[in-house]
Amino acid sequence: QVQLAESGGGLVQAGGSLRLSCAVSGRTVSSSAMAWFRQAPGKEREFVAAISWIGTSTRYADSVRGRFTISRDNAKNALYLQMNALKPEDTAVYYCGKASTAAVTISVTQAAYNYWGQGTQVTVSS
């Protein structure tokens, strides 16, 4: 089985920055895409950013493009999300996801990702 563990969340003022990390461990899995999604209270989980296995392809939600940067370090089995210029509407639980097959090169769809972490809370105060 594959385990994902997010960290780096917290409370920050509007305009501030946070860097989320996602550590991947467990059984070796195929080279595949990873992504960040988030879920605010009372709302459905939504796509934030995705990255291909090599890291040359990325996708961003319109709401975060230009402020957030997704990256990965495959040697360290880690995924990152650098969040700058944070807004109160970015408040949510952030989840990292990993596809189970190399057939998923990159995707903005939640169903493409089979492994998920427990999430890390990000709260942005105004």
Side-chain angles (χ1 to χ4, degrees), residues 33-35 37 47 49-52 59 104-113:
M34 294 191 70
F37 284 71
F47 169 75
I51 188 167
S52 62
R59 300 287 187 273
V104 177
T105 54
I106 192 168
S107 176
V108 303
T109 303
Q110 189 175 175
Y113 302 95

PDB file of all heavy atoms in Angstrom, residues 33-35 37 47 49-52 59 104-113:
ATOM      1  N   ALA A  33       1.383  10.861 -12.150  1.00  0.00           N
ATOM      2  CA  ALA A  33       1.087  12.245 -11.805  1.00  0.00           C
ATOM      3  C   ALA A  33       0.686  12.384 -10.344  1.00  0.00           C
ATOM      4  O   ALA A  33       0.215  11.431  -9.720  1.00  0.00           O
ATOM      5  CB  ALA A  33      -0.052  12.754 -12.688  1.00  0.00           C
ATOM      6  N   MET A  34       0.876  13.573  -9.815  1.00  0.00           N
ATOM      7  CA  MET A  34       0.415  13.901  -8.476  1.00  0.00           C
ATOM      8  C   MET A  34      -0.288  15.253  -8.526  1.00  0.00           C
ATOM      9  O   MET A  34      -0.120  16.021  -9.475  1.00  0.00           O
ATOM     10  CB  MET A  34       1.569  13.944  -7.479  1.00  0.00           C
ATOM     11  CG  MET A  34       2.221  12.597  -7.244  1.00  0.00           C
ATOM     12  SD  MET A  34       3.370  12.585  -5.859  1.00  0.00           S
ATOM     13  CE  MET A  34       2.241  12.747  -4.455  1.00  0.00           C
ATOM     14  N   ALA A  35      -1.066  15.524  -7.488  1.00  0.00           N
ATOM     15  CA  ALA A  35      -1.848  16.756  -7.503  1.00  0.00           C
ATOM     16  C   ALA A  35      -2.193  17.207  -6.092  1.00  0.00           C
ATOM     17  O   ALA A  35      -2.092  16.434  -5.136  1.00  0.00           O
ATOM     18  CB  ALA A  35      -3.136  16.547  -8.299  1.00  0.00           C
ATOM     19  N   PHE A  37      -5.461  19.003  -4.108  1.00  0.00           N
ATOM     20  CA  PHE A  37      -6.856  19.406  -4.087  1.00  0.00           C
ATOM     21  C   PHE A  37      -7.132  20.054  -2.732  1.00  0.00           C
ATOM     22  O   PHE A  37      -6.338  19.908  -1.804  1.00  0.00           O
ATOM     23  CB  PHE A  37      -7.775  18.189  -4.273  1.00  0.00           C
ATOM     24  CG  PHE A  37      -7.840  17.675  -5.682  1.00  0.00           C
ATOM     25  CD1 PHE A  37      -6.761  17.023  -6.254  1.00  0.00           C
ATOM     26  CD2 PHE A  37      -8.988  17.849  -6.447  1.00  0.00           C
ATOM     27  CE1 PHE A  37      -6.816  16.553  -7.559  1.00  0.00           C
ATOM     28  CE2 PHE A  37      -9.057  17.384  -7.754  1.00  0.00           C
ATOM     29  CZ  PHE A  37      -7.972  16.739  -8.307  1.00  0.00           C
ATOM     30  N   PHE A  47     -10.010  20.971  -7.400  1.00  0.00           N
ATOM     31  CA  PHE A  47      -8.656  20.885  -7.931  1.00  0.00           C
ATOM     32  C   PHE A  47      -7.890  22.173  -7.654  1.00  0.00           C
ATOM     33  O   PHE A  47      -8.435  23.274  -7.777  1.00  0.00           O
ATOM     34  CB  PHE A  47      -8.720  20.630  -9.438  1.00  0.00           C
ATOM     35  CG  PHE A  47      -7.402  20.776 -10.142  1.00  0.00           C
ATOM     36  CD1 PHE A  47      -6.428  19.810 -10.023  1.00  0.00           C
ATOM     37  CD2 PHE A  47      -7.150  21.882 -10.919  1.00  0.00           C
ATOM     38  CE1 PHE A  47      -5.217  19.944 -10.664  1.00  0.00           C
ATOM     39  CE2 PHE A  47      -5.948  22.041 -11.573  1.00  0.00           C
ATOM     40  CZ  PHE A  47      -4.973  21.069 -11.446  1.00  0.00           C
ATOM     41  N   ALA A  49      -3.813  22.081  -8.139  1.00  0.00           N
ATOM     42  CA  ALA A  49      -2.664  22.020  -9.039  1.00  0.00           C
ATOM     43  C   ALA A  49      -2.273  20.568  -9.265  1.00  0.00           C
ATOM     44  O   ALA A  49      -2.512  19.723  -8.406  1.00  0.00           O
ATOM     45  CB  ALA A  49      -1.485  22.801  -8.473  1.00  0.00           C
ATOM     46  N   ALA A  50      -1.672  20.301 -10.433  1.00  0.00           N
ATOM     47  CA  ALA A  50      -1.219  18.952 -10.757  1.00  0.00           C
ATOM     48  C   ALA A  50       0.125  19.031 -11.450  1.00  0.00           C
ATOM     49  O   ALA A  50       0.469  20.045 -12.061  1.00  0.00           O
ATOM     50  CB  ALA A  50      -2.235  18.237 -11.647  1.00  0.00           C
ATOM     51  N   ILE A  51       0.869  17.916 -11.372  1.00  0.00           N
ATOM     52  CA  ILE A  51       2.194  17.877 -11.969  1.00  0.00           C
ATOM     53  C   ILE A  51       2.452  16.477 -12.509  1.00  0.00           C
ATOM     54  O   ILE A  51       2.032  15.474 -11.924  1.00  0.00           O
ATOM     55  CB  ILE A  51       3.263  18.286 -10.940  1.00  0.00           C
ATOM     56  CG1 ILE A  51       4.636  18.452 -11.588  1.00  0.00           C
ATOM     57  CG2 ILE A  51       3.318  17.291  -9.780  1.00  0.00           C
ATOM     58  CD1 ILE A  51       5.650  19.155 -10.685  1.00  0.00           C
ATOM     59  N   SER A  52       3.124  16.412 -13.640  1.00  0.00           N
ATOM     60  CA  SER A  52       3.463  15.133 -14.237  1.00  0.00           C
ATOM     61  C   SER A  52       4.608  14.471 -13.488  1.00  0.00           C
ATOM     62  O   SER A  52       5.243  15.089 -12.627  1.00  0.00           O
ATOM     63  CB  SER A  52       3.845  15.330 -15.702  1.00  0.00           C
ATOM     64  OG  SER A  52       4.997  16.176 -15.793  1.00  0.00           O
ATOM     65  N   ARG A  59      -0.463  21.919 -14.184  1.00  0.00           N
ATOM     66  CA  ARG A  59      -1.788  22.498 -14.393  1.00  0.00           C
ATOM     67  C   ARG A  59      -2.203  23.216 -13.110  1.00  0.00           C
ATOM     68  O   ARG A  59      -1.889  22.763 -12.014  1.00  0.00           O
ATOM     69  CB  ARG A  59      -2.823  21.418 -14.725  1.00  0.00           C
ATOM     70  CG  ARG A  59      -2.551  20.619 -15.966  1.00  0.00           C
ATOM     71  CD  ARG A  59      -2.783  21.394 -17.233  1.00  0.00           C
ATOM     72  NE  ARG A  59      -2.674  20.531 -18.405  1.00  0.00           N
ATOM     73  CZ  ARG A  59      -1.545  20.270 -19.029  1.00  0.00           C
ATOM     74  NH1 ARG A  59      -0.420  20.823 -18.621  1.00  0.00           N
ATOM     75  NH2 ARG A  59      -1.554  19.470 -20.081  1.00  0.00           N
ATOM     76  N   VAL A 104      -1.738   7.726 -16.229  1.00  0.00           N
ATOM     77  CA  VAL A 104      -2.197   9.079 -15.903  1.00  0.00           C
ATOM     78  C   VAL A 104      -0.988   9.990 -15.932  1.00  0.00           C
ATOM     79  O   VAL A 104      -0.204  10.036 -14.985  1.00  0.00           O
ATOM     80  CB  VAL A 104      -2.873   9.119 -14.522  1.00  0.00           C
ATOM     81  CG1 VAL A 104      -3.288  10.554 -14.178  1.00  0.00           C
ATOM     82  CG2 VAL A 104      -4.059   8.184 -14.484  1.00  0.00           C
ATOM     83  N   THR A 105      -0.812  10.707 -17.012  1.00  0.00           N
ATOM     84  CA  THR A 105       0.355  11.580 -17.136  1.00  0.00           C
ATOM     85  C   THR A 105       0.149  12.879 -16.373  1.00  0.00           C
ATOM     86  O   THR A 105       1.075  13.418 -15.777  1.00  0.00           O
ATOM     87  CB  THR A 105       0.632  11.885 -18.609  1.00  0.00           C
ATOM     88  OG1 THR A 105      -0.563  12.417 -19.201  1.00  0.00           O
ATOM     89  CG2 THR A 105       1.037  10.625 -19.351  1.00  0.00           C
ATOM     90  N   ILE A 106      -1.062  13.395 -16.404  1.00  0.00           N
ATOM     91  CA  ILE A 106      -1.433  14.573 -15.612  1.00  0.00           C
ATOM     92  C   ILE A 106      -2.943  14.719 -15.728  1.00  0.00           C
ATOM     93  O   ILE A 106      -3.523  14.444 -16.781  1.00  0.00           O
ATOM     94  CB  ILE A 106      -0.695  15.843 -16.088  1.00  0.00           C
ATOM     95  CG1 ILE A 106      -0.879  16.978 -15.069  1.00  0.00           C
ATOM     96  CG2 ILE A 106      -1.168  16.265 -17.470  1.00  0.00           C
ATOM     97  CD1 ILE A 106       0.056  18.162 -15.316  1.00  0.00           C
ATOM     98  N   SER A 107      -3.586  15.149 -14.671  1.00  0.00           N
ATOM     99  CA  SER A 107      -5.036  15.263 -14.689  1.00  0.00           C
ATOM    100  C   SER A 107      -5.507  16.275 -13.666  1.00  0.00           C
ATOM    101  O   SER A 107      -4.889  16.439 -12.611  1.00  0.00           O
ATOM    102  CB  SER A 107      -5.686  13.905 -14.402  1.00  0.00           C
ATOM    103  OG  SER A 107      -7.090  14.026 -14.336  1.00  0.00           O
ATOM    104  N   VAL A 108      -6.620  16.950 -13.991  1.00  0.00           N
ATOM    105  CA  VAL A 108      -7.243  17.887 -13.063  1.00  0.00           C
ATOM    106  C   VAL A 108      -8.457  17.249 -12.402  1.00  0.00           C
ATOM    107  O   VAL A 108      -9.179  17.907 -11.650  1.00  0.00           O
ATOM    108  CB  VAL A 108      -7.655  19.195 -13.773  1.00  0.00           C
ATOM    109  CG1 VAL A 108      -6.437  19.842 -14.435  1.00  0.00           C
ATOM    110  CG2 VAL A 108      -8.757  18.935 -14.792  1.00  0.00           C
ATOM    111  N   THR A 109      -8.680  15.977 -12.708  1.00  0.00           N
ATOM    112  CA  THR A 109      -9.866  15.267 -12.233  1.00  0.00           C
ATOM    113  C   THR A 109      -9.545  14.451 -10.987  1.00  0.00           C
ATOM    114  O   THR A 109      -8.593  13.680 -10.980  1.00  0.00           O
ATOM    115  CB  THR A 109     -10.395  14.329 -13.321  1.00  0.00           C
ATOM    116  OG1 THR A 109     -10.662  15.093 -14.504  1.00  0.00           O
ATOM    117  CG2 THR A 109     -11.669  13.651 -12.874  1.00  0.00           C
ATOM    118  N   GLN A 110     -10.359  14.581  -9.971  1.00  0.00           N
ATOM    119  CA  GLN A 110     -10.123  13.882  -8.711  1.00  0.00           C
ATOM    120  C   GLN A 110     -10.098  12.371  -8.901  1.00  0.00           C
ATOM    121  O   GLN A 110      -9.326  11.675  -8.254  1.00  0.00           O
ATOM    122  CB  GLN A 110     -11.209  14.270  -7.705  1.00  0.00           C
ATOM    123  CG  GLN A 110     -10.973  13.783  -6.305  1.00  0.00           C
ATOM    124  CD  GLN A 110     -12.015  14.301  -5.343  1.00  0.00           C
ATOM    125  OE1 GLN A 110     -12.038  13.944  -4.175  1.00  0.00           O
ATOM    126  NE2 GLN A 110     -12.902  15.186  -5.794  1.00  0.00           N
ATOM    127  N   ALA A 111     -10.938  11.864  -9.789  1.00  0.00           N
ATOM    128  CA  ALA A 111     -11.043  10.427  -9.994  1.00  0.00           C
ATOM    129  C   ALA A 111      -9.769   9.807 -10.546  1.00  0.00           C
ATOM    130  O   ALA A 111      -9.586   8.582 -10.464  1.00  0.00           O
ATOM    131  CB  ALA A 111     -12.213  10.124 -10.934  1.00  0.00           C
ATOM    132  N   ALA A 112      -8.875  10.600 -11.092  1.00  0.00           N
ATOM    133  CA  ALA A 112      -7.628  10.076 -11.654  1.00  0.00           C
ATOM    134  C   ALA A 112      -6.634   9.685 -10.579  1.00  0.00           C
ATOM    135  O   ALA A 112      -5.673   8.964 -10.860  1.00  0.00           O
ATOM    136  CB  ALA A 112      -7.003  11.117 -12.577  1.00  0.00           C
ATOM    137  N   TYR A 113      -6.859  10.128  -9.357  1.00  0.00           N
ATOM    138  CA  TYR A 113      -5.912   9.902  -8.273  1.00  0.00           C
ATOM    139  C   TYR A 113      -6.481   8.884  -7.296  1.00  0.00           C
ATOM    140  O   TYR A 113      -7.577   9.047  -6.774  1.00  0.00           O
ATOM    141  CB  TYR A 113      -5.579  11.226  -7.582  1.00  0.00           C
ATOM    142  CG  TYR A 113      -5.002  12.210  -8.578  1.00  0.00           C
ATOM    143  CD1 TYR A 113      -5.805  13.134  -9.217  1.00  0.00           C
ATOM    144  CD2 TYR A 113      -3.644  12.166  -8.896  1.00  0.00           C
ATOM    145  CE1 TYR A 113      -5.277  14.003 -10.164  1.00  0.00           C
ATOM    146  CE2 TYR A 113      -3.110  13.032  -9.833  1.00  0.00           C
ATOM    147  CZ  TYR A 113      -3.939  13.945 -10.469  1.00  0.00           C
ATOM    148  OH  TYR A 113      -3.406  14.795 -11.410  1.00  0.00           O
TER     149      TYR A 113
END
